[in-house]
Amino acid sequence: MYRLLKKEGAARRGEFATVHGTVQTPGFMNVATAGAIKGAVSAYDLKELGCQVQLCNTYHLHLRPGDETVRALGGVRRFTGWEGPVLTDSGGFQVFSLAKLRSIREEGVTFASHIDGRKIFMGPEESMRIQSNLGSTIAMAFDECVENPAPYEYAKASCARTVRWLERCKTEMARLNSLEDTLNPRQMLFGINQGCTYRDLRVEHMKRIAAMDLDGYGIGGLAVGEPAEEMYAIIEAIEPHMPEDKIRYLMGVGTPVNILEAVSRGVDLFDCVMPTRNARHGHAFTSEGVRNLLNAKYTLDESPLDSRCGCPVCQKFSRAYLHHLFKAGEMLAMRLTVMHNLYFYNHLLADIRQALDEGRFAEFYQEKIQVLGKRI
RNA sequence: GGGGGAGUUCCCGAGUGGCCAAAGGGGGCAGACUGUAAAUCUGUUGUCGACGACUUCAGUGGUUCGAAUCCACUCUCCCCCA
């Protein structure tokens, strides 16, 4: 249940209450696709890094270890050791990212498993059942994340099908939640807005799903290759049609600048693989911009990654050490940089919340927008 | 002392007359990454006044229109026998 605490322009400060804890928004969810934060960061570390919500993936956990297995082990929260809220993505993104391995029809999507090629059928009902077995706090509707660019007619048809799928998700979720032995009988369902870069499709779709009284609303199919300005424009176009009393989640986004821009346009929740993936590839996000720790200039640099960062890594280790760890291929390089980046993201959102609390988001935005995207 | 083998661009290593500034790795330098098929992928890596020129394949000299590739000698290293 979302509670709007304060507004500054379109930016919202709120709280999202769930059975597994209350999420302060705007907030960032930490991505643990296959039940683990890539880079050897555990649920135990996540607490220290300021994580509020862990995100796991339906498709990936269904394939391995299997949702029945996870259920038998008490659900994703118990299984991964993360006690707070968990959001499970539906598998809709895999319709996009594994495009070469799947075919879509009205009933759902058939994937050729990326692990062993075996056929996996996933429709709205299957996705809901898997997510129910995973026992997540929030289930995402099964959608099609459409590639960009996509022809108008395709986008339109896909949107219509995503609506039909959402209706089926809602029905199935209600059924599953009413079962005696369901893991989380209060599992929530978020719908997902689609429509590619077509304003009219986006708005129409948003109106359609807004009327369905869901627990929250995702904005999907963005940051898939379109320019950032286009993404911002789409958010602005659909924002007036999103229920004010429901949480809004911009899926898969993004850079610190993207997040700031989206918050200023009324988005509450984010997730992105960037802090973890880029960390594994040597890129660190800092209060001054982005650093590539593999660069030769860090060989003798004794300063911390970010002098204004309170993370455990910045208290102890130098850029020179991290540079060496990356050069040497030590896994510690990844672990430390992932920890830093997640801390950075989680605390960027905490700073945004504080600025909103204190009614100075506009200044905060102005100050940060200049600096966060820079490569240093 | 006798016999055999080898020396290639930062490293390893292919190449044994022109298509070779020289394959492929590694290393170096840089870039990308947005609901994770990603500890991945891409570019670049002799010099310069740079759609061309110049200097490189242990050294020196030679054969040839033309040599990293053939010949002679020299140097260095490795292996085997004494």
Side-chain angles (χ1 to χ4, degrees), chain A residues 72-350:
Chain A
L73 294 167
V76 260
R77 292 172 58 255
R78 170 119 68 100
F79 185 49
T80 64
W82 172 253
E83 319 237 305
V86 168
L87 180 143
T88 40
D89 188 27
S90 61
F93 185 71
Q94 279 61 43
V95 178
F96 163 78
S97 66
L98 301 178
K100 274 175 266 176
L101 298 174
R102 54 75 174 156
S103 62
I104 311 177
R105 55 184 201 277
E106 180 61 27
E107 306 86 86
V109 178
T110 303
F111 292 95
S113 157
H114 71 282
I115 299 165
D116 59 9
R118 106 189 121 97
K119 294 246 180 302
I120 307 290
F121 178 76
M122 195 184 290
E125 290 80 12
E126 287 75 13
S127 178
M128 291 305 109
R129 272 175 231 147
I130 295 165
Q131 295 186 72
S132 178
N133 281 336
L134 296 174
S136 60
T137 316
I138 303 155
M140 294 305 298
F142 188 64
D143 64 334
E144 179 192 359
C145 177
V146 179
E147 66 171 352
N148 177 269
Y152 183 87
E153 285 311 315
Y154 184 89
K156 190 175 180 184
S158 168
C159 254
R161 183 170 53 207
T162 289
V163 171
R164 292 191 293 275
W165 283 0
L166 177 57
E167 285 161 351
R168 285 162 56 187
C169 284
K170 197 179 172 192
T171 305
E172 182 66 5
M173 181 97 292
R175 186 185 75 78
L176 291 162
N177 279 353
S178 67
L179 294 177
E180 187 96 350
D181 61 347
T182 197
L183 220 46
N184 174 14
R186 294 179 62 189
Q187 189 166 31
M188 295 190 275
L189 176 65
F190 285 13
I192 304 175
N193 173 249
Q194 290 290 350
C196 299
T197 50
Y198 304 107
R199 247 39 80 78
D200 59 325
L201 294 183
R202 283 277 175 186
V203 168
E204 193 195 333
H205 189 256
M206 192 62 242
K207 287 182 183 167
R208 240 351 249 289
I209 65 176
M212 290 175 69
D213 189 34
L214 299 157
D215 297 301
Y217 291 89
I219 306 170
L222 291 180
V224 288
E226 81 288 356
E229 295 306 324
E230 181 97 47
M231 170 169 81
Y232 303 148
I234 290 164
I235 299 168
E236 280 174 30
I238 58 178
E239 196 275 336
H241 304 99
M242 303 187 93
E244 178 140 87
D245 60 344
K246 296 288 171 68
I247 192 164
R248 298 114 172 239
Y249 160 33
L250 180 56
M251 304 181 76
V253 174
T255 65
V257 167
N258 291 160
I259 289 173
L260 221 41
E261 295 288 4
V263 167
S264 76
R265 288 168 174 81
V267 175
D268 306 308
L269 208 52
F270 302 87
D271 83 283
C272 192
V273 304
M274 227 176 215
T276 47
R277 179 186 290 165
N278 286 24
R280 276 178 278 128
H281 298 167
H283 284 224
F285 293 93
T286 79
S287 61
E288 299 167 309
V290 181
R291 288 186 191 290
N292 181 352
L293 288 164
L294 281 122
N295 288 170
K297 62 184 170 187
Y298 296 118
T299 307
L300 289 170
D301 190 339
E302 289 196 275
S303 37
L305 218 44
D306 184 348
S307 57
R308 280 180 283 179
C309 178
C311 89
V313 179
C314 287
Q315 306 319 301
K316 182 80 182 163
F317 304 107
S318 66
R319 294 171 192 168
Y321 184 54
L322 290 162
H323 172 76
H324 160 70
L325 294 177
F326 272 111
K327 284 293 182 186
E330 290 292 341
M331 50 181 132
L332 185 58
M334 296 189 193
R335 174 168 157 82
L336 294 179
T337 310
V338 167
M339 287 177 74
H340 165 83
N341 277 358
L342 286 180
Y343 183 100
F344 177 82
Y345 265 70
N346 291 329
H347 285 261
L348 171 66
L349 275 290

